[in-house]
Amino acid sequence: MTVKPTSWIGASVERLEDKPLVTGRGRFAGDVSFPHQLHMRMVRSSYAHGRLKAIDVTEARAVPGVVAVWTADDIADLPPIDFREGPNEKLAPFRQSVLAKDVVRYAGEPVAAVFATDPYVAEDAAELVTMDVDELDAVIDASLPASEFAAGLTTEPTICRQGYGDIAAAFKGAAAIVEMDLSVGRHSGVPLETRGAIGRYDAARDVLELHGAAKVPHKNRESLARMFGRSTAGVHLYEGHVGGGFGVRGEIYPEDVLVLVAAMRLGRPVKWLEDRREHMIAANHSRQQRHCIRAAVDAEGRLIGIDDDFFHDQGAYIRTHGTRVADTACGILPGPYRLPHYRVNAHFRLTNKTPAATYRSPGRYETNFVRERLMDAIARKLGLSRIEVRRRNLISPDEMPYERPLVALGDEVVLDSGDYEGLLNKALERCQWDRLEREVAERRKAGEYVGLGLAMYVEKSGLGPTDGARVNVHTNGEVEVITGGASVGQGFETVIAQVCAETLGVDYKRVRVIHGRTDRIEYGIGAHATRATVMTANATAVAAGKVRVKALDMAAQLLQTDAGQLTIVNGSVMRTDGAGASIDLGDLAHHLRPVSPTRGERDPGLAAEGWFTTAHMTYPYGVQIALVRIDPSTGGVDIEKMLIAFDVGRSINPMLVRGQLVGGFVQGLGGALFEEFQYDERGQPLSVTFADYLMPTAHEVPEVDILVTEDAPSSCNPLGIKGAGEGGVAAVGAVIASAVDDALGGKGLITQIPITPQAVKAMIDGQRK
Amino acid sequence: MKPASFSYHVPTSVDEAVALLAELGPQDGRILAGGQSLVPTMAFRMARPTHLIDINGIAELARLTAGGGIVTVGACVRHAAFDSGTLPGATGALLRKVVQNIAHYPIRTRGTFCGSVANADPASEWCCVMAALDGVAVLRSQRGTRRVPAAEFYQGVMATALDEDELLVAAELPMLADDTRTGFVEFSRRKGDFAIAMALVAYRLEGGVIVEPRVAIGGAEPHARRIAEAEDVLSGQAPGAAAFVAAAEAASAAVDPMEDINNTAAYRRGLVRTLTQRALESAE
Ligand SMILES: Cc1cc2nc3c(=O)[nH]c(=O)nc-3n(C[C@H](O)[C@H](O)[C@H](O)COP(=O)(O)OP(=O)(O)OC[C@H]3O[C@@H](n4cnc5c(N)ncnc54)[C@H](O)[C@@H]3O)c2cc1C
């Protein structure tokens, strides 16, 4: 009989992290408190743009319980918040100062900070701070000609350019040219848990601590240490539970800096919790772009070239991400199609709105919408079906890996593997596209406004370069994985435990995953850009593999067997044929203690560190299909069917992959039909509550059919993994737009998202006239 | 989003409540009922009453009764009381239909009918019911009791005839005859949101033609009201497409819709037509 270890990779096991969460014993930023802490309240500009002539804090300071009120003058020694990837001279003048000085540039910009013994007192006092502001004209539309940001600087800090080939020749030789003006609305991650930060200075150890950190604790530690002139050894970040990350949480914002500086200067821990209204005007916005795009195609509908000028509405300042979203948009726009010539100019524009940065699937949600609208338009222009025009342009599996002379997230674009047409076929079959098309045609004849939409896309994941993990087996057999990854609630601990369990041969429930503590591991990439599973899991597999070798070696000595005949099953080392004695990993750890005489020449500890380095990102891909019905009298859109087909290379936990895809879909639906940060012409934010900023609820979300395939494992990493975190959201704007457009007769009327009932109704009325 | 400070009072009888109101009303004292409108606005500090008079402890205000042709809804009766459907007849059936459109269930278990009536949001479903059924607001103060019909009670966007020392002790709804057909339809972008527009209709048939028609529109104008022009069109007609389309047309022509950044007057006017027609078609 040969013994067979349990297979953990690919199993839909339940999440390790759920117990404290579902029993209300999690530890979110709001749950973190320290004795004698102060509470911070921000005073924010109510003007979108103006000269800040004076701030009066005397009344606020006099309120009993108020310990300090700071304005820019009180922290004049602090530099503006820098870019995560390091200094950038060209963009530096556009960074946000911790507190506004001389000029305010968006409604919501921090102008002063109140520190008090009680959060109510802090809020009462904050109301008493007054400011004298000369209002200036607000820039609301990023596509108008650039104006002045400050003396000698315009509101266009840079133009991100990418491209290759000869775009002029491409258009000269075209059989047809399709031109569109397409806009994506301003929306962003609006997690259930708003942001929070608790700063504490531990004088005994001379360590500055930030609690409530998320996403990229190690990178942020470096930035903060630089900002304060401290060594990284004197700054530590602690990640707790996270009620949704989505890109907005875990960046360094003015509030994070303030709680730390105040903790040092006021000598007491300082706690700040963002309220919902603040979140809507203070946390990063995202997505808003307007693309003026043209495609040159040959007579068969094959792309010859794409020429795109787009306006990226960055908001008032350039925050930690620099120009990353616009850059990514440029690099990823061509998607799954062959594109011989390409030119894109991203006009990176500042406006008087909340600064923007990444939101789940940044640069892709926008460009998938733009490119897929364009593909539908090409089909229409040439009288081809929307499927056929895509088939003719898809990159085929034998062209993989497919190099593109483009850059996304600072990484050369090399599509590592994929069978795009294969997935298209599977998706069409799964939803019975042909039958749906017939049904739609019949229902239309009967007067209904129904439509089918389709979108294809390439996602990116696993941004490198490197991540590490340490696996340590305790003498009781429990396994600890200490990683530089981070959890934003996505099931990180579970998948890392699964990979460790599979490699090592233990039950995944015996694995404890430690993350988000800069004091336990020196280096880490955190959780962003759908990289945690790809990078950290592979590093974990390397570390666990080393531990396995060491365990077998030690066991071979103790069991007097050749290591090659041994395996590990459920935490016990035994012979592969099941014969003879076995020994538990815990016992082996005991034999490997520093003082153990049996250890021999081996290094102490049943532990090892593993590193994984990748040359490139890995590219999962998907197909989304939607069937919608419009109520022509109200303009309301009802989604009758929704399919997401997605290839993840290799799925470690299919249940979690589905969860990621469905959750992402809901956020994508928000951007397609509901969510938008609106402003009036003076730059006043109009979407500051959940009554004005409409998130989809369970009522608005249709049943989503999910097809996860593993046809194209990544060639970039030994486990073959691609990320799933952003695949659900990436093409929802594209597919819903395609379906609504089809329901309106397939004329290319839908050129912007979100699609509101008011707009749809106006289009229907316009057609009737 | 933490309310400014206020003093909190908990009367246990209506007399005590109106005595407190007489004293504190002029000093910006406010009634606290379900708190589902007032508390959020306090959290935003858009409302900052110096005194809150919490009426939730007054047992006599929690009564919902039907008798003598009138449904009397006490000030502490929650929206959710109408979910369960104990009220008889056509009026009961109508209120059960309407209540499904108000917010979400957890909110309905706290928010009150009278709180909605007093708050007078243009898109309050209960205000539309009050208008449609010619409800009466029963107002008590130390000066006495006033009974104000809906048509006089509502004066504008969130503006009513309530004086600062008055407590809305109950809303009275004249009961519809048992054979009345009623319909209610509204449109909002998400389920549970305040509606962009709504239509409530009721009518009886006598000898195959419509009698006692009622058409009320809410959400479109500063306050809900009956639309006589649409009712006149229906009166004496056989129920059916011709009459319904004409009445819907008349309602949409008669309203003077509000505008906001997402909704033009024309869009709301179109909705009024659609919703009126659908309410008539679905009336049962
Ligand atoms: C998410 C959400 C969605 C909602 N959606 C809807 C909806 O679709 N339709 C809808 O109609 N409502 C909706 N509401 C509001 C809800 O119905 C409230 O319950 C209602 O508007 C007010 O009732 P209340 O008992 O909560 O009053 P409170 O909030 O306690 O009071 C509201 C105001 O009325 C005054 N008041 C209350 N009772 C009296 C009284 N007896 N005498 C004198 N003055 C009084 C108060 O002083 C206050 O000014 C929603 C609320 C929320 C939070």
Side-chain angles (χ1 to χ4, degrees), chain B residues 21 30-40 55 75 78-79 101-104 107 110-116 118-119 121 123-126 162 166-169 186 192-195:
Chain B
L21 257 185
R30 296 273 282 276
I31 297 291
L32 174 69
Q36 298 303 294
S37 292
L38 183 55
V39 173
I55 57 172
R78 316 281 162 186
H79 306 314
N101 296 277
I102 302 175
H104 305 277
I107 294 165
R110 305 257 347 136
T112 63
F113 186 105
C114 286
S116 292
N119 198 48
D121 191 287
S124 151
E125 287 83 357
W126 293 142
L162 258 174
E166 282 178 318
L167 175 67
L168 172 63
V169 285
E186 70 172 42
D193 282 349
F194 278 107

Side-chain angles (χ1 to χ4, degrees), chain A residues 41 119-120 123-124 127 275-277 631 633-634 636 673-674 678 686 689-690 694-695 697 699-700 756-758 761, chain B residues 1-5 43-45 48 104 187 189-193 196 261-264 267 270-271 273-275 278:
Chain A
R41 175 74 185 173
Y120 285 81
E123 195 160 332
D124 288 346
E127 276 193 311
D275 69 34
R276 183 59 66 190
R277 182 175 186 280
D631 177 341
S633 302
T634 61
L673 296 179
F674 299 103
Q678 296 182 306
L686 302 174
T689 75
F690 282 150
L694 309 183
M695 312 264 302
T697 74
H699 292 288
E700 284 72 46
T756 64
Q758 294 83 354
K761 178 75 165 61
Chain B
M1 283 180 55
K2 302 201 174 342
S5 70
F44 279 114
R45 299 195 172 202
R48 45 174 77 222
H104 305 277
F187 182 74
R189 284 182 65 186
R190 295 178 308 175
K191 174 121 180 46
D193 282 349
I196 302 171
I261 96 153
N262 292 312
N263 301 292
T264 60
Y267 180 68
L271 282 183
R273 181 187 306 110
T274 299
L275 299 173
R278 287 183 185 171

Side-chain angles (χ1 to χ4, degrees), chain A residues 9 73 94 97 100 106 122 161-162 194 197 214 222 257 259 285 352 410 423 433 455 463 466 567 569 605 729:
Chain A
I9 292 184
D73 291 341
F94 305 95
S97 297
Y106 65 98
R161 298 174 202 273
Q162 292 204 47
T194 53
E222 281 172 35
V257 177
V259 295
H285 285 183
N352 295 111
L423 187 64
W433 175 272
L463 178 63
T466 296
T567 187
V569 178
V729 63

Side-chain angles (χ1 to χ4, degrees), chain B residues 100-154:
Chain B
Q100 305 302 326
N101 296 277
I102 302 175
H104 305 277
Y105 191 73
I107 294 165
R108 297 205 289 273
T109 64
R110 305 257 347 136
T112 63
F113 186 105
C114 286
S116 292
V117 169
N119 198 48
D121 191 287
S124 151
E125 287 83 357
W126 293 142
C127 292
C128 191
V129 166
M130 286 286 281
L133 304 191
D134 295 320
V136 173
V138 184
L139 313 181
R140 269 271 297 277
S141 69
Q142 283 192 320
R143 296 174 287 134
T145 300
R146 293 200 289 155
R147 312 171 71 81
V148 183
E152 290 160 37
F153 184 72
Y154 294 111

